[in-house]
Amino acid sequence: MRIKKSLTVLTAFTLLFSFMTSNVNAASTPFSQGAGYHQGAYDKEAMQPIGHNWNRNSRFAAVNSNVHLKWKYQMPSGGNSSIVISKDGTIFTKNYESSSNPKFNIYSINPDGTLKWKQPIIDSLVYGTPIINSNNKLIIPAGSKLLSLNIDDGAVTEMSLPTSYSNEVVIGSDGTYYLSGIAGRLAAYNPSGTPKWISSFESSYHSGYPALTDQGSLVFKAGYGSYGSLYSFNSQTGQLNWEFKGIIGSETRSAPAIAKDGTIYVTSQDGFVYAINPDGTQKWKVSVERNLSSTNVIDPIVGPDGTIYSVNGTKDFYAINPDGTIKWIYNSTAMYSSPIIDKNNIVYIGVGGKVVALNANGVEQWSLALNASNFISASAIAEDGTLYIADSSGTVFAIGGEVTGPTDPTEPPVEPKPPVDPVGERSIFVLTLSNGTEKEYDLSMQEVQQFISWYEARAAGNGPVTFAINKHNNNKGPFKQRQDYIVYDKIITFEVNEY
């Protein structure tokens, strides 16, 4: 006689899936640039202290319900600057006014959309994004200076440099400033302002934004016209590690993407995404359509499951598997700024005057028309889920709504005890979803264990957001399909009844 045994996994898992809209203490989940990146001396308590030189995988979940325009702030013009957010939610960006003097201004905007302060910058070549360092200062290059701004009032302190470096600053863990720019300029400066080393690359090339790998390599694209290379320099000595030629594009407002295994992903203006090994050899390249007419080629980002997301400046948004095969293509008009990925592996892009949210399978979750100009500023996600993005006209948009599903808790969740080793061979597996639907399956215990392994990995922020359950011929529900694709954040509880 078979004896039915019941194993119920309810309370602890239910806590993880409760609908949550409250703010999270940023200090409890410090900012990380991601595996593969050297962790620099940035403000780890800031919600998003940098625009690039990180995997752009936010530790926060973005709004996904009742999505709406919360507010917008109009600057006189755009500034090609990404958005950064301090630990108290203040938003920082910059603009450029060609007919004004001074032409550049750093803006500090409160979370409610009101102006906190505005700091004019009299220098030229202020093309990078301000970043927030570990001393809670905004750092940005301006002409032949490196500026440090007080985050509360915008007061400026200057560090003189022998020449100009126009790109977003990269900071090492010891506070070293890494600077790059036009005409083959590359240098490292100590926090005191003394040079650590000064180096160079092809003098006719202009550099894109750099990234610093966890192996200590400073990698960046540089080029001019139809020529270009991907460079790797030793961050301690300034010596050239290698040059990979044929990567066309320069002065891009993005940085190469670094994967966990050190693979470098970069987009070339001739219509290819390249995967480059840490030693400078090519792993693969894949075509994403030729784009020689545009200089603004946005480099890829890498998702938590290893998917590479890329655009080419002309049209369409690509998801590429780590082996170089195309995963899916989202048909769109031209994109001019880097996407961002939230904690639940949802990708957010600004395109065609609207913001679009796509899941890991390329399915649109929501879109919000903003009647915006081209989005040229990389977006940011605040801890309450608000998504910030700016367009070329100088409008900063705050997209609000509700955050449903798993978010970062204020306290670490209680880890549920793993199920006991099964005594029986099969079970009745019951899922309760957030819409009240209850689904029942007759599964082997091996299949149940596969589900639980996926579930626990997803709770830790790893793996896909969906799980396919094979319904077999003994499926207990009146479903037409042979597989059910279960979305992680729709699960309230599950129950395993072993027999």
Side-chain angles (χ1 to χ4, degrees):
M1 180 180 68
R2 290 182 177 176
I3 301 174
K4 181 177 179 180
K5 298 185 179 181
S6 179
L7 173 65
T8 305
V9 184
L10 290 171
T11 306
F13 284 119
T14 302
L15 292 174
L16 288 176
F17 292 108
S18 298
F19 292 122
M20 300 170 68
T21 57
S22 59
N23 286 354
V24 179
N25 185 341
S28 66
T29 52
F31 172 81
S32 171
Q33 292 163 253
Y37 288 83
H38 173 85
Q39 303 300 306
Y42 301 102
D43 183 0
K44 299 299 194 295
E45 292 187 346
M47 298 180 195
Q48 190 169 310
I50 52 179
H52 300 92
N53 186 36
W54 68 299
N55 61 12
R56 295 194 56 79
N57 289 201
S58 176
R59 66 200 193 273
F60 304 120
V63 292
N64 55 16
S65 177
N66 298 323
V67 178
H68 63 274
L69 178 61
K70 192 174 179 180
W71 53 256
K72 61 181 180 180
Y73 182 87
Q74 185 64 58
M75 300 184 294
S77 57
N80 297 340
S81 170
S82 303
I83 290 174
V84 297
I85 313 175
S86 67
K87 58 188 173 185
D88 66 357
T90 303
I91 303 104
F92 300 95
T93 188
K94 83 170 195 305
N95 82 321
Y96 168 73
E97 302 172 52
S98 59
S99 60
S100 176
N101 189 19
K103 299 181 184 299
F104 295 92
N105 298 277
I106 307 295
Y107 281 81
S108 173
I109 304 170
N110 292 308
D112 63 1
T114 58
L115 180 66
K116 187 172 185 178
W117 53 258
K118 169 185 169 183
Q119 178 60 58
I121 305 297
I122 62 174
D123 304 279
S124 60
L125 296 175
V126 190
Y127 295 134
T129 293
I131 55 91
I132 308 174
N133 71 4
S134 57
N135 294 323
N136 207 28
K137 301 288 185 182
L138 287 175
I139 306 295
I140 190 168
S144 57
K145 301 172 185 174
L146 192 63
L147 305 183
S148 173
L149 283 73
N150 187 298
I151 208 166
D152 295 320
D153 59 13
V156 177
T157 302
E158 299 178 351
M159 176 193 296
S160 295
L161 303 170
T163 187
S164 61
Y165 299 93
S166 54
N167 288 330
E168 182 175 320
V169 178
V170 168
I171 304 181
S173 59
D174 60 356
T176 299
Y177 296 115
Y178 297 98
L179 306 169
S180 63
I182 64 172
R185 296 170 186 168
L186 185 68
Y189 280 81
N190 295 305
S192 62
T194 59
K196 187 171 184 177
W197 51 257
I198 296 177
S199 189
S200 64
F201 47 95
E202 168 58 49
S203 61
S204 64
Y205 285 0
H206 298 177
S207 168
Y209 290 174
L212 186 58
T213 76
D214 61 3
Q215 299 301 309
S217 297
L218 198 65
V219 294
F220 57 91
K221 289 192 311 189
Y224 187 79
S226 59
Y227 299 94
S229 296
L230 177 68
Y231 287 97
S232 172
F233 279 79
N234 186 305
S235 64
Q236 296 302 308
T237 65
Q239 296 297 308
L240 176 67
N241 291 325
W242 48 259
E243 175 186 1
F244 185 91
K245 296 182 178 181
I247 304 294
I248 306 171
S250 65
E251 298 184 279
T252 55
R253 293 183 288 273
S254 60
I258 313 300
K260 294 178 182 179
D261 63 358
T263 302
I264 303 162
Y265 297 106
V266 66
T267 304
S268 177
Q269 197 172 307
D270 59 357
F272 291 95
V273 173
Y274 286 82
I276 307 297
N277 292 306
D279 62 1
T281 58
Q282 180 180 307
K283 180 181 287 188
W284 52 254
K285 72 176 182 178
V286 60
S287 174
V288 291
E289 192 168 330
R290 190 173 178 84
N291 186 37
L292 283 174
S293 62
S294 173
T295 59
N296 188 26
V297 178
I298 302 302
D299 287 317
I301 65 172
V302 181
D305 60 355
T307 301
I308 302 101
Y309 297 99
S310 181
V311 299
N312 65 8
T314 301
K315 65 175 185 177
D316 295 339
F317 182 57
Y318 291 79
I320 305 170
N321 293 307
D323 63 0
T325 57
I326 299 294
K327 186 174 183 180
W328 49 258
I329 302 173
Y330 177 79
N331 298 126
S332 69
T333 57
M335 292 173 56
Y336 301 100
S337 62
S338 297
I340 193 168
I341 304 174
D342 83 345
K343 170 180 191 299
N344 294 325
N345 207 12
I346 303 297
V347 187
Y348 300 85
I349 59 175
V351 60
K354 63 182 180 179
V355 174
V356 179
L358 304 171
N359 70 12
N361 297 316
V363 178
E364 189 173 301
Q365 304 300 285
W366 58 260
S367 68
L368 181 66
L370 298 172
N371 298 317
S373 303
N374 289 331
F375 294 106
I376 57 175
S377 298
S379 54
I381 298 173
E383 64 178 343
D384 65 354
T386 301
L387 181 70
Y388 296 103
I389 193 169
D391 71 2
S392 58
S393 74
T395 307
V396 179
F397 298 91
I399 299 170
E402 299 175 4
V403 179
T404 59
T407 61
D408 277 317
T410 54
E411 296 294 337
V414 177
E415 290 292 338
K417 294 181 179 180
V420 296
D421 292 334
V423 176
E425 297 178 354
R426 303 194 63 79
S427 70
I428 300 299
F429 184 72
V430 183
L431 277 172
T432 303
L433 305 181
S434 59
N435 62 3
T437 301
E438 187 175 273
K439 295 192 174 187
E440 186 175 292
Y441 309 87
D442 189 341
L443 302 175
S444 69
M445 284 305 299
Q446 181 181 5
E447 291 173 302
V448 171
Q449 293 291 359
Q450 289 172 348
F451 173 90
I452 293 173
S453 296
W454 163 79
Y455 176 87
E456 292 178 341
R458 188 61 247 170
N462 301 316
V465 295
T466 60
F467 184 87
I469 295 182
N470 191 330
K471 304 198 308 185
H472 305 293
N473 293 326
N474 55 22
N475 174 47
K476 298 298 182 182
F479 307 113
K480 296 179 180 179
Q481 300 296 324
R482 290 300 178 192
Q483 285 189 324
D484 272 353
Y485 288 87
I486 306 301
V487 179
Y488 171 78
D489 62 2
K490 300 302 182 184
I491 304 170
I492 296 297
T493 63
F494 64 84
E495 181 178 344
V496 183
N497 297 291
E498 216 177 302
Y499 68 87

